[in-house]
């Protein structure tokens, strides 16, 4: 499967209210491995994904239901057993449906409590005859006609099955999911779409609570405060904006959270935090706001980690972290990126990357974005340009996912005190 086999990512599957139903595990070359004509690719894919799952199924992939397509070889390797039934939906396509032995494996897993999904459902006798064995029907919204989609949804719902729209990559297809009354959707547009607007003060509530606790200690720990603020894009943005305002008139503008805290001092920092508390009337974040904040944290962590390997970069790891964190600001704050960054003295290469995708920082920024989109061809070119170890990208990415999951769990545990 050539060099692309080492790229693995997961993408959210959301219901129509924006709540995360689960995550699709995708990897480069899967489409070739499933076409039935490249047996070598199937074996290579099975070996690669099995090795990866063995190392990660109990860690980074334990924070939600995982939807994953299994080839015949993966089924025979007993790969689904790396997950408990409640953590996995086994996806199959035509290569498995026409393989009698593979289909028996699927039936056995279903008997053991695993849910089953079928990819790109077709109106053919072999698909319809097996409909009762599927829990989820996945429909490619790019290639399936409207009339066929309506018929599939009506038939599936009549049998108590859930329908998932796939390849929802633009606004038109996104709007169609509501018209067709599917149960969930996935795709590039879905992963990045905000279902409700978030005001600039929409920081994570449990994160803000932890910040309040940290700043009111008898001897506040500056490193702890810096870490808490750095977890949240809007807190970071608010802090950098206020500390670089005309009111403080700094001789040297603060370009990261640490410099901002030092410039403000603990006394004024405490006043700023109290001001945020007084102004807050947001209540709990909804599912889409929460997911967007998690996305910003994942991108920030991934960009920072890649800086350990990237060659000839004109920015620091802190700059890369801010670049990833600020990648979602246009969703969090209703303004163009140029306007958002006008009052924030981030490094010029970071601004060029965020606004115009320019320079080596632009390449790194695009790689981080494209990895989440599973744009395998672009990732390969960008990794080579930056001198990144292509065979380690999946491990780096999922280490970042695991770290974000750890941080998020800490935030959720804290929010229970609120």
């Amino acid at each position: 499967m050539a060099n692309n086999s080492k790229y693995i990512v997961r993408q959210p599957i959301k219901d129509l209210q924006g709540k995360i139903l689960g995550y699709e595990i995708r990897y480069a070359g899967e489409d070739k491995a499933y076409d039935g004509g490249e047996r070598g690719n199937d074996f290579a894919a099975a070996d690669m994904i099995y090795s990866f799952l063995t190392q990660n199924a109990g860690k980074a992939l334990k924070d939600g239901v995982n939807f994953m397509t299994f080839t015949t070889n993966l089924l025979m390797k007993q790969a689904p057993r790396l997950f408990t039934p409640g953590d996995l939906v086994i996806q199959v396509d035509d290569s498995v449906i026409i393989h009698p032995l593979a289909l028996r494996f699927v039936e056995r897993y279903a008997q053991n409590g695993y849910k089953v999904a079928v990819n790109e459902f077709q109106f053919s006798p072999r698909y319809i005859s097996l409909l009762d064995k599927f829990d989820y029907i996945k429909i490619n919204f790019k290639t399936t006609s409207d009339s066929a989609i309506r018929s599939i949804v009506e038939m599936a719902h009549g049998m108590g099955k859930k329908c998932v729209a796939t390849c929802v990559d633009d606004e038109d297809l996104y709007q169609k999911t509501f018209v067709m009354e599917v149960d969930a959707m996935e795709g590039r547009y879905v992963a990045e779409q905000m279902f409700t607007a978030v005001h600039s003060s929409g920081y994570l509530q449990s994160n803000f609570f932890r910040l309040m606790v940290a700043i009111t200690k008898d001897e506040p720990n500056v490193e702890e405060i810096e870490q808490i603020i750095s977890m949240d894009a809007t807190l970071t943005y608010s802090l950098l904006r206020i500390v670089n305002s005309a009111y403080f008139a700094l001789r040297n503008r603060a370009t990261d959270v640490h410099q901002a805290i030092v410039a403000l001092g603990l006394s004024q920092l405490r006043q700023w935090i109290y001001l945020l508390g007084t102004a807050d009337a947001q209540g709990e974040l909804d599912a889409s706001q929460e997911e967007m904040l998690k996305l910003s944290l994942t991108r920030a962590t991934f960009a920072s980690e890649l800086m350990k390997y990237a060659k000839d970069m004109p920015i620091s790891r802190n700059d890369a972290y801010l670049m990833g964190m600020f990648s979602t600001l246009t969703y969090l704050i209703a303004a163009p990126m140029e306007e958002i960054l006008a009052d924030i003295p981030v490094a010029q290469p970071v601004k060029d990357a965020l606004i115009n995708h320019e320079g080596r920082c632009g390449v790194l920024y695009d790689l981080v974005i494209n990895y989440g989109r599973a744009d395998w061809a672009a990732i390969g070119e960008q990794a080579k340009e930056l001198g990144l170890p292509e065979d380690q990208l999946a491990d780096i990415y999922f280490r970042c996912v695991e770290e974000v999951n750890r941080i998020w769990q800490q935030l959720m545990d804290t929010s229970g005190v609120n």
Side-chain angles (χ1 to χ4, degrees):
M1 195 160 37
N3 291 333
N4 284 349
S5 64
K6 55 186 70 73
Y7 305 140
I8 306 171
V9 71
R10 66 178 197 168
Q11 297 179 326
I13 301 173
K14 299 179 180 180
D15 66 19
L16 300 194
Q17 288 71 49
K19 182 179 179 181
I20 298 295
L21 179 68
Y23 294 92
E24 171 113 14
I25 300 174
R26 299 187 58 191
Y27 56 94
E30 59 183 319
D31 54 337
K32 295 180 181 178
Y34 306 147
D35 65 9
E38 298 192 33
R39 191 169 179 79
N41 276 345
D42 194 356
F43 281 114
D47 287 341
M48 181 273 297
I49 195 68
Y50 185 84
S51 175
F52 177 82
L53 291 177
T54 301
Q55 300 174 46
N56 291 278
K59 299 182 297 183
L61 303 178
K62 290 294 288 185
D63 66 322
V65 178
N66 297 280
F67 287 65
M68 178 181 162
T69 302
F70 287 84
T71 64
T72 297
N73 283 308
L74 278 172
L75 291 170
M76 292 180 176
K77 282 177 173 286
Q78 305 288 313
R81 297 197 183 280
L82 294 170
F83 299 87
T84 59
D87 293 335
L88 179 68
V89 175
I90 298 172
Q91 294 182 167
V92 298
D93 61 11
D94 207 48
S95 66
V96 170
I97 289 175
I98 64 176
H99 195 298
L101 180 58
L103 199 55
R104 284 201 292 272
F105 270 98
V106 173
E107 292 172 345
R108 193 176 307 160
Y109 284 122
Q111 291 170 0
N112 291 330
Y114 290 88
K115 299 292 186 182
V116 181
V118 59
N119 287 326
E120 302 202 15
F121 186 87
Q122 303 171 21
F123 273 122
S124 65
R126 61 173 175 260
Y127 275 75
I128 295 175
S129 65
L130 295 172
L131 189 58
D132 63 321
K133 301 182 186 300
F134 304 133
D135 301 283
Y136 296 92
I137 309 300
K138 304 190 81 174
I139 309 167
N140 188 324
F141 264 42
K142 274 189 176 178
T143 60
T144 309
S145 68
D146 289 359
S147 60
I149 292 173
R150 289 191 184 93
S151 298
I152 293 171
V153 171
E154 182 178 351
M155 179 176 60
H157 283 170
M159 297 182 67
K161 314 298 180 181
K162 291 185 176 181
C163 293
V164 180
T166 68
C167 299
V168 181
D169 293 339
D170 59 41
E171 170 72 18
D172 290 341
L173 293 175
Y174 167 71
Q175 294 298 337
K176 187 188 291 188
T177 63
F178 294 90
V179 175
M180 296 297 181
E181 298 182 331
V182 296
D183 300 283
M185 54 183 141
E186 63 178 299
R188 180 178 300 180
Y189 191 85
V190 176
E192 300 176 6
Q193 170 66 14
M194 281 296 289
F195 290 80
T196 56
V198 183
H199 188 266
S200 59
S201 63
Y203 40 81
L204 182 65
Q205 297 303 298
S206 54
N207 208 7
F208 177 71
F209 179 77
R210 293 177 65 235
L211 184 57
M212 288 287 288
V213 171
I215 197 65
T216 53
K217 290 179 179 178
D218 291 338
E219 296 183 7
N221 185 319
V222 175
E223 290 185 1
E224 178 188 11
I225 293 169
E226 179 182 348
Q227 181 186 40
I228 294 171
I229 294 174
S230 297
M231 289 177 186
D232 192 309
T234 47
L235 276 177
T236 300
Y237 172 77
S238 297
L239 175 60
L240 288 177
R241 184 175 184 183
I242 193 170
V243 80
N244 288 293
S245 66
Y247 177 80
F248 289 98
L250 297 181
R251 179 175 300 177
N252 297 310
R253 307 189 81 192
T255 60
D256 60 34
V257 172
H258 179 77
Q259 292 177 7
I261 292 174
V262 171
L264 271 182
L266 289 177
S267 178
Q268 287 185 309
L269 178 64
R270 188 178 292 111
Q271 294 176 16
W272 170 70
I273 294 171
Y274 289 161
L275 178 62
L276 286 182
T278 303
D280 173 47
Q282 285 270 118
E284 291 296 321
L285 291 172
D286 67 24
S288 56
Q289 294 167 345
E290 180 178 308
E291 185 64 20
M292 188 56 65
L293 290 173
K294 285 183 72 174
L295 176 62
S296 65
L297 184 54
T298 300
R299 287 177 175 176
T301 306
F302 192 34
S304 177
E305 282 299 303
L306 290 177
M307 283 291 294
K308 294 179 179 179
Y309 308 90
K311 310 296 184 186
D312 303 320
M313 296 301 294
I315 59 172
S316 67
R317 288 188 64 193
N318 282 342
D319 291 329
Y321 186 96
L322 277 180
M323 183 172 70
M325 181 68 79
F326 283 179
S327 67
T328 61
L329 278 182
T330 53
Y331 298 99
L332 296 168
I333 301 172
M337 187 65 77
E338 295 92 332
E339 182 180 331
I340 293 172
L341 296 180
D343 298 325
I344 304 297
V346 297
Q348 189 60 45
V350 171
K351 283 190 176 182
D352 293 339
L354 287 169
I355 297 172
N356 298 313
H357 302 261
E358 292 178 349
R360 292 187 68 78
C361 292
V363 178
L364 176 62
Y365 177 69
D366 287 342
L367 188 153
V368 169
I369 304 301
N370 288 331
Y371 200 97
R373 293 173 173 173
D375 189 342
W376 309 127
I379 292 167
E381 295 176 2
Q382 290 154 358
K384 286 186 175 69
E385 185 171 349
L386 295 174
L388 296 173
E390 294 180 72
D391 59 342
Q392 297 181 43
L393 288 185
D395 288 333
I396 296 170
Y397 172 81
F398 275 94
R399 283 203 307 271
C400 294
V401 170
E402 185 179 1
E403 173 64 11
V404 170
N405 288 342
R406 184 192 65 77
I407 292 172
W408 203 258
Q409 187 59 52
Q410 182 183 28
L411 295 177
M412 293 304 100
D413 289 344
T414 305
S415 67
V417 180
N418 208 350

